[in-house]
Amino acid sequence: MHTLTIPKMRFWLVLQQLALIIIIITTDALKNNETDHAALLAMKSKTLDPFGGGALSSWNESSHFCNWEGVFCGKRHKRVTLIYLSSSGLSGTLSPHVGNLTFLRRLWLNNNTFHGEIPNEIGGLYRLKVLSLSSNSFQGRIPVSLSRCSSLMRLFIGYNNLVGTIPEEFSSLSMLKVIVVHENNLTGGIPKFVGNITSLESFSAANNLFGGTIPNNLGQLKNLLQLGLSNNQISGTIPSSLYNLSNLNVLSLSFNNLHGSLPPYFGNMFPHLELLQLQVNNFTGQLPNSIGNLTKAKELCFDSNDFSGKLKVDFSKLVNLLRLNFNFNNLGSGDFDEMHFLESLTNCSDLDLLSTVRNQFRGVLPDSVGNLSSNMHHFNLAANQLHGRIPPTIGNLVNVSLLGLAYNRFTGPIPSTIGRLQKLQRLTLFENQLSGTIPESIGNLSLMNELYLSNNNLEGTIPSSIGNCQRLVFLRLEQNNLSGTIPKELFQVSSLSILLNLSHNHLSGPLPSEIGELKSLTLLDISNNDLSGEIPSRISSCTSLESLFLQGNMLQGSIPKSMEFLRGLKILDLSRNNLSGEIPTFLEKLSLINLNLSFNNFNGELPLQGPFANSNAVSVYGNDRLCGGIPSLQLPRCPVNSNFFFSSKRIFAIVGASIIIGILILISSMVFYLRKRKREPTTLELLPKESFVHVSYGELLNATDGFSSNNLIGAGSFGFVYSGVLDQIGDVAIKVLNLVNRGAMRSFMAECKALKDIRHRNLVKIITCCSSIDFQGNEFKALVYELLVNGNLEKWLHPSQETSRLEFNLPQRLSVAIDVASALDYLHFQCETPIIHCDLKPSNILLDQQMVAHVGDFGLARLYNPEIGISHHSSSMGVIGTVGYAAPEYGLGSEMSIKGDVYSYGILLLEMLTGKRPTDLMFTGGLNIRNFAGQAFAGEAIEIVMDPTILQSDTATGQRDSYLIAMVKIGLACSEELPQNRMSMTNVVRELQLIKETMFK
């Protein structure tokens, strides 16, 4: 019998222990593999893959999870170390089980549509180095638990809907190099602890709601390359410590409330700076000469501040410069060499944009302007005080697409070399003192979209070569000394779709019949010229026309019958011509809000319907042979054929008819009396009787002079609105429902139900709901409101001739916007049962004597319980708003929500700023009110995009434009296509109030 020696026994014992350890490790690995497997399946269960066979189609049992798409494992332990599902079209929520992937080092889920909160369990990923959740719809707060991810180096959570502050606990993340939290709704200040994370290379917190000042200790971040704090509410000055960040290549502080001046050494402190954005702040003082030492700079933005004084910067060393923007400041000194800085810019061979709109430059444009970069696309010196001639060398800028020299004092001719700019799309030379003729070479600009030559001293004829500009959309030649006939080639530019204005010139001859080629044109103004002949019948082909101005000419003949096909016409002015004949009745059927036929030779009886029923919509002064019409027009009565009255048969017919009518009235009175005894007028049964005061049908009849057309102040889908005076109340507005119209009864009940218990300063006050029997025994229903004397917002935004002289400035519009937002915030969040208005638009917003706005017309309103959805007791009609204002998801069958009201509000706000209806015919081919208004962010586009009335504000230009841009931003945020991306009305009120406080401080 052999026995093991001691060494052999020890060997076998060690071998057994090693085998046991291997078994334990293998078992643990298999167990941990199962943990990862389960975690991934849990993530899949919470994720929606709209493409079906998309990124997650391989996540099944047919293969090991390390082989699934977007999943990467370590070679040693076969544990998940990387998930990469960027831009995969995924949605849903992020499962808390993601926290079980403890070997995960990188998680990339950016550019999808995940929503819900970021789970706290994500803090369990202690090996995590990169977290990228940007460009989703995550909500809630940034989880504090992320501070446990001690290895985290890059955090990307921008472009979401996160709220709250950046957690203080993040101060422990000592390895962080990148923090990207921009485009959220984060609040508080920029945390001071960020200055202690000395490893930080990039901090981007733009487009949030951060306030306070820039922390001084950010100057400790010696490794910082990028600092982005734009589009917040940060105030104060730039701390001097920031000038220690010599490695910065991006410094973006735009769209804040920063003030102070830039120190003289500013440009010496950032030798690596490529992007400097200081626009839309309150900086003052002179631009330091040292800016010329930013030799790596590619983009310098100083616009919308209050910089002043002479621009002395030598830009010759900025050879990489692409964009230079000084718009909306007070730069300029009046020195003879004012524009010398342009000379130094000729060394910037890649310069793409140079813009100095609305400053105080007073010099002469030097010939050296032709030596600027041949790559220049955008060159705009508009709204200064530049004088002298436009140098012919301007023709060397052969790649320029926008050339803006408007609102200056240029004299002399338009150089013919302008025809060399064959890539030009927009040319603005209006409001100068240019003379001479329009050069024939203008016809070489075949890519031109917008041409503005108005308000100059140009003479001669309109060159026929303009017909070569087959992409023109805008053309303005008004207020010049142009003469001769209108070339027919102009009317053959079928692309003209928004505006053609030739008014206030000396154009003569007839209107060419080719006018019918302008089928897409919205506004045509040829007024105040010397045109003769008749209005061509082919004008009926201009089916998109909304405004037609032909007044102040020598046109003759009658109004052509073919004009009845101009169904979209809203404004027609034919005054001060030699037109004759009877006024055609088809004008009654057009949707005219302003019709001016004054001072012609029209005769006969004036029609009574359509615009002729409203003395504020029609003007017929100076037509001595007109008669009839509504009494307020004060025309003589039309003569009556006397043979009719003296015919015995006619007399017999009249007497017989009178007797029959008398008998019918007697019978009706008896029926009414009998019915009245059985059914007295009652208030609406769905409401408590004490909710409203009781008003009878007879009282309403007396209050409105028998529902006279003189008292008619509005009309809607379900009835008419009259003004009236009730004895016990005073001035009121009375909405009478036409119960024949489908949905009228439900609209009536919805409005009474919605308004019976709510009271708010910015809601129209309902006095009573009347439900009774009229004198003919018919059912009668009406709503009585307080009368708001300044009418509805529609009339202020799109005034007729009578209201066009009334001022509606920026502060007033801002106040109205706040009033409406406050009303919606009350309806959505402060009522016991939230209310969705469902039909917010200008005509449903009324203004009182102090221009306080009141939201009205709750005929489509829905009561909303967040737990059970739309109330069955609210309006159940299929109508869910008005085209242009209704949220896009409604068209796809989505349930109504408060987010739908937010969308309508966003469109309304953009309409208030641009003066354009969302249904304006200019919005075609992908252009809509959102991207039209969004052009305001380009700075110089403000003069085109914004309602001209706003631009006449007394507010300093730079400040005014910053307010406008901030308001446009809110309008765009409210009208996002996805409901979850829209602002809440609470935030809208707060943001607008901040703008108002800044405006009036």
Side-chain angles (χ1 to χ4, degrees):
M1 179 176 177
H2 299 283
T3 59
L4 293 173
T5 62
I6 294 300
K8 288 182 178 179
M9 289 177 64
R10 287 178 178 172
F11 171 76
W12 285 107
L13 183 61
V14 170
L15 193 63
Q16 288 174 351
Q17 290 174 340
L18 184 62
L20 182 61
I21 291 170
I22 292 172
I23 291 170
I24 291 171
I25 291 174
T26 303
T27 303
D28 188 52
L30 289 172
K31 180 182 176 183
N32 288 332
N33 281 345
E34 183 56 38
T35 300
D36 284 8
H37 183 255
L40 291 173
L41 290 178
M43 289 177 64
K44 180 181 179 180
S45 69
K46 295 289 186 180
T47 305
L48 301 176
D49 186 354
F51 302 116
L56 301 187
S57 60
S58 64
W59 288 34
N60 55 55
E61 302 296 341
S62 64
S63 62
H64 191 275
F65 63 78
C66 289
N67 297 320
W68 291 354
E69 183 176 344
V71 178
F72 300 84
C73 297
K75 293 181 179 180
R76 183 178 178 188
H77 298 299
K78 296 296 182 182
R79 300 292 302 277
V80 177
T81 59
L82 166 64
I83 295 178
Y84 188 88
L85 293 171
S86 300
S87 305
S88 298
L90 303 175
S91 60
T93 60
L94 181 57
S95 169
H97 288 83
V98 69
N100 294 333
L101 300 172
T102 54
F103 273 66
L104 194 65
R105 288 171 172 80
R106 294 172 178 82
L107 177 59
W108 295 87
L109 298 178
N110 54 295
N111 200 27
N112 287 288
T113 53
F114 286 104
H115 61 274
E117 296 189 355
I118 301 172
N120 282 320
E121 288 78 3
I122 205 165
L125 304 178
Y126 60 91
R127 291 184 173 90
L128 194 66
K129 293 184 177 181
V130 177
L131 176 61
S132 181
L133 304 178
S134 294
S135 299
N136 281 283
S137 299
F138 286 110
Q139 301 154 322
R141 293 177 171 268
I142 302 172
V144 174
S145 63
L146 270 174
S147 61
R148 302 203 303 269
C149 301
S150 56
S151 299
L152 194 63
M153 299 175 69
R154 288 176 169 79
L155 175 63
F156 303 97
I157 51 176
Y159 291 100
N160 281 289
N161 299 312
L162 300 172
V163 297
T165 60
I166 300 176
E168 291 285 340
E169 290 80 358
F170 278 21
S171 60
S172 63
L173 298 174
S174 59
M175 299 178 67
L176 266 179
K177 291 187 175 182
V178 178
I179 300 177
V180 175
V181 295
H182 55 225
E183 294 284 351
N184 280 288
N185 297 306
L186 299 175
T187 53
I190 303 298
K192 291 182 179 180
F193 72 77
V194 172
N196 298 325
I197 307 176
T198 55
S199 58
L200 205 60
E201 296 176 358
S202 179
F203 180 59
S204 179
N207 291 83
N208 279 285
L209 303 172
F210 291 119
T213 59
I214 300 174
N216 191 57
N217 67 347
L218 291 188
Q220 300 173 179
L221 303 176
K222 302 299 184 183
N223 297 310
L224 198 65
L225 302 176
Q226 300 172 336
L227 178 60
L229 304 179
S230 63
N231 282 77
N232 280 287
Q233 298 160 16
I234 301 171
S235 57
T237 60
I238 300 175
S240 58
S241 64
L242 238 59
Y243 301 123
N244 297 327
L245 304 179
S246 58
N247 288 318
L248 275 181
N249 55 51
V250 172
L251 177 59
S252 180
L253 306 176
S254 59
F255 292 90
N256 280 292
N257 297 311
L258 297 169
H259 64 271
S261 59
L262 303 183
Y265 53 81
F266 181 92
N268 301 327
M269 308 309 293
F270 304 113
H272 304 289
L273 198 64
E274 296 181 10
L275 175 62
L276 175 63
Q277 295 179 328
L278 301 180
Q279 68 266 33
V280 194
N281 278 286
N282 302 309
F283 292 116
T284 56
Q286 194 167 5
L287 284 171
N289 296 351
S290 61
I291 285 172
N293 295 326
L294 298 172
T295 55
K296 298 289 181 66
K298 294 182 178 179
E299 181 173 329
L300 300 176
C301 299
F302 302 102
D303 44 309
S304 296
N305 281 285
D306 200 18
F307 290 115
S308 58
K310 188 173 183 178
L311 186 57
K312 299 178 181 180
V313 180
D314 181 356
F315 295 98
S316 59
K317 291 186 289 186
L318 278 59
V319 294
N320 300 302
L321 194 61
L322 299 175
R323 300 171 66 87
L324 181 59
N325 196 330
F326 298 119
N327 292 347
F328 309 111
N329 281 283
N330 288 305
L331 293 168
S333 63
D335 291 352
F336 71 95
D337 59 347
E338 181 82 273
M339 304 302 291
H340 181 69
F341 73 92
L342 290 176
E343 187 82 34
S344 66
L345 282 167
T346 60
N347 217 32
C348 306
S349 57
D350 292 323
L351 192 62
D352 177 80
L353 178 148
L354 174 59
S355 196
T356 69
V357 174
R358 292 196 186 277
N359 279 276
Q360 303 295 327
F361 293 118
R362 297 182 180 87
V364 173
L365 199 57
D367 288 339
S368 60
V369 71
N371 298 328
L372 291 171
S373 169
S374 59
N375 294 317
M376 184 94 70
H377 286 90
H378 186 122
F379 184 50
N380 200 342
L381 309 182
N384 284 279
Q385 299 175 40
L386 300 174
H387 56 87
R389 64 185 185 126
I390 299 174
T393 54
I394 201 90
N396 295 344
L397 306 179
V398 292
N399 282 302
V400 73
S401 59
L402 184 152
L403 176 59
L405 301 176
Y407 287 112
N408 278 288
R409 299 174 182 175
F410 288 113
T411 55
I414 300 172
S416 61
T417 54
I418 207 118
R420 295 168 55 188
L421 307 180
Q422 295 190 22
K423 294 187 179 179
L424 198 60
Q425 297 177 29
R426 183 177 176 211
L427 174 61
T428 65
L429 300 179
F430 60 93
E431 292 284 352
N432 279 286
Q433 298 165 26
L434 297 170
S435 56
T437 60
I438 300 173
E440 284 281 343
S441 61
I442 208 86
N444 297 338
L445 308 179
S446 58
L447 300 181
M448 181 80 70
N449 299 133
E450 303 174 32
L451 176 59
Y452 302 87
L453 304 180
S454 55
N455 293 83
N456 280 287
N457 298 314
L458 298 172
E459 55 190 21
T461 60
I462 300 173
S464 59
S465 62
I466 204 167
N468 298 331
C469 303
Q470 285 293 316
R471 296 193 181 184
L472 269 180
V473 176
F474 276 95
L475 176 59
R476 300 190 64 166
L477 303 179
E478 76 269 20
Q479 297 282 356
N480 279 287
N481 295 314
L482 299 172
S483 58
T485 59
I486 303 173
K488 64 181 181 181
E489 290 84 358
L490 174 57
F491 288 143
Q492 291 171 339
V493 180
S494 57
S495 59
L496 280 167
S497 58
I498 298 180
L499 182 147
L500 171 59
N501 195 334
L502 307 177
S503 66
H504 293 88
N505 281 287
H506 303 293
L507 300 171
S508 58
L511 269 175
S513 61
E514 285 78 7
I515 194 172
E517 300 294 326
L518 303 179
K519 294 180 173 61
S520 302
L521 189 62
T522 302
L523 187 152
L524 175 61
D525 190 347
I526 320 182
S527 63
N528 296 289
N529 279 285
D530 300 319
L531 299 175
S532 56
E534 297 187 352
I535 301 173
S537 61
R538 283 195 62 196
I539 201 169
S540 62
S541 298
C542 304
T543 51
S544 297
L545 269 183
E546 291 187 1
S547 303
L548 176 59
F549 300 95
L550 298 177
Q551 72 270 23
N553 283 286
M554 296 182 288
L555 298 173
Q556 58 192 38
S558 59
I559 299 175
K561 188 177 186 304
S562 61
M563 287 182 68
E564 67 180 310
F565 296 107
L566 300 179
R567 301 294 187 187
L569 203 60
K570 294 180 173 63
I571 299 175
L572 175 61
D573 196 334
L574 302 176
S575 62
R576 293 183 289 114
N577 279 286
N578 296 318
L579 298 170
S580 58
E582 294 187 352
I583 294 175
T585 56
F586 69 74
L587 292 175
E588 294 177 307
K589 300 176 183 178
L590 300 184
S591 303
L592 291 166
I593 59 174
N594 191 305
L595 173 62
N596 193 345
L597 304 175
S598 299
F599 300 103
N600 280 284
N601 298 313
F602 292 117
N603 60 64
E605 185 172 3
L606 193 68
L608 294 171
Q609 305 300 317
F612 299 99
N614 182 358
S615 60
N616 292 324
V618 66
S619 178
V620 292
Y621 299 115
N623 290 278
D624 297 336
R625 294 189 291 164
L626 281 178
C627 62
I630 59 176
S632 57
L633 293 177
Q634 298 181 346
L635 294 177
R637 290 185 178 183
C638 293
V640 180
N641 186 347
S642 59
N643 290 333
F644 175 87
F645 289 100
F646 293 101
S647 166
S648 59
K649 292 182 179 180
R650 296 296 185 189
I651 293 173
F652 179 78
I654 291 171
V655 172
S658 300
I659 293 172
I660 293 172
I661 291 172
I663 293 171
L664 290 175
I665 291 174
L666 180 61
I667 293 172
S668 297
S669 300
M670 292 176 65
V671 170
F672 170 73
Y673 175 76
L674 293 173
R675 286 190 178 183
K676 186 177 180 183
R677 293 185 62 183
K678 294 180 180 180
R679 184 177 178 182
E680 290 293 324
T682 60
T683 55
L684 190 64
E685 291 182 4
L686 65 90
L687 302 173
K689 290 185 178 181
E690 64 274 12
S691 295
F692 300 111
V693 299
H694 174 68
V695 180
S696 69
Y697 172 78
E699 288 175 292
L700 296 182
L701 190 70
N702 292 331
T704 59
D705 292 332
F707 300 113
S708 165
S709 61
N710 291 333
N711 289 55
L712 185 65
I713 58 175
S717 302
F718 303 124
F720 300 92
V721 182
Y722 298 87
S723 64
V725 180
L726 287 171
D727 291 338
Q728 71 268 43
I729 298 169
D731 292 333
V732 292
I734 301 163
K735 181 178 180 180
V736 179
L737 279 294
N738 184 351
L739 299 179
V740 175
N741 291 345
R742 182 177 177 269
M745 176 63 80
R746 282 173 288 186
S747 170
F748 174 64
M749 296 178 69
E751 193 154 11
C752 291
K753 183 72 172 176
L755 292 174
K756 77 181 182 72
D757 292 325
I758 60 174
R759 290 290 185 270
H760 188 272
R761 173 179 182 267
N762 299 121
L763 294 176
V764 172
K765 180 182 177 183
I766 188 169
I767 296 170
T768 191
C769 290
C770 299
S771 179
S772 59
I773 304 298
D774 68 15
F775 292 155
Q776 282 73 44
N778 299 313
E779 189 173 10
F780 172 83
K781 295 193 183 298
L783 299 105
V784 182
Y785 307 95
E786 61 179 333
L787 181 66
L788 300 173
V789 295
N790 270 319
N792 62 33
L793 182 59
E794 171 81 17
K795 295 178 180 178
W796 287 81
L797 294 179
H798 310 291
S800 64
Q801 187 181 28
E802 298 298 321
T803 57
S804 61
R805 294 185 298 275
L806 298 176
E807 182 183 16
F808 192 32
N809 57 29
L810 178 58
Q812 288 174 318
R813 295 182 197 222
L814 175 58
S815 294
V816 168
I818 292 172
D819 291 341
V820 177
S822 299
L824 289 180
D825 183 44
Y826 173 80
L827 294 172
H828 293 174
F829 301 112
Q830 298 173 43
C831 293
E832 182 177 350
T833 301
I835 295 175
I836 309 171
H837 186 277
C838 295
D839 198 19
L840 190 70
K841 57 185 177 181
S843 60
N844 288 342
I845 296 165
L846 303 177
L847 304 170
D848 66 17
Q849 191 167 8
Q850 285 74 42
M851 293 297 285
V852 174
H854 303 255
V855 176
D857 199 339
F858 284 73
L860 299 182
R862 309 293 176 99
L863 304 182
Y864 179 73
N865 186 325
E867 297 179 0
I868 63 174
I870 300 294
S871 167
H872 295 294
H873 298 293
S874 58
S875 174
S876 58
M877 292 171 289
V879 181
I880 49 175
T882 300
V883 174
Y885 303 92
E889 64 268 19
Y890 290 174
L892 301 176
S894 295
E895 186 181 74
M896 278 152 288
S897 71
I898 60 177
K899 290 292 187 180
D901 279 356
V902 176
Y903 179 89
S904 301
Y905 178 84
I907 298 299
L908 171 72
L909 182 56
L910 297 179
E911 182 176 359
M912 290 175 65
L913 296 173
T914 63
K916 300 287 185 185
R917 294 182 176 89
T919 55
D920 196 295
L921 293 178
M922 71 177 286
F923 298 135
T924 59
L927 180 66
N928 58 42
I929 193 170
R930 291 193 80 251
N931 49 39
F932 177 72
Q935 297 177 53
F937 292 104
E940 68 284 342
I942 286 178
E943 65 192 57
I944 299 300
V945 172
M946 293 298 138
D947 189 331
T949 306
I950 298 178
L951 300 181
Q952 298 167 7
S953 168
D954 291 336
T955 310
T957 301
Q959 291 299 313
R960 179 204 66 200
D961 292 337
S962 68
Y963 303 144
L964 288 172
I965 290 171
M967 292 172 71
V968 168
K969 179 184 174 185
I970 294 170
L972 296 177
C974 289
S975 56
E976 287 278 359
E977 184 170 357
L978 295 177
Q980 63 267 28
N981 291 345
R982 297 170 195 156
M983 294 178 73
S984 75
M985 293 314 302
T986 303
N987 288 339
V988 171
V989 173
R990 182 181 62 205
E991 290 294 295
L992 290 174
Q993 287 286 11
L994 286 171
I995 295 172
K996 186 174 182 179
E997 289 170 10
T998 305
M999 184 181 292
F1000 293 106
K1001 70 179 181 179

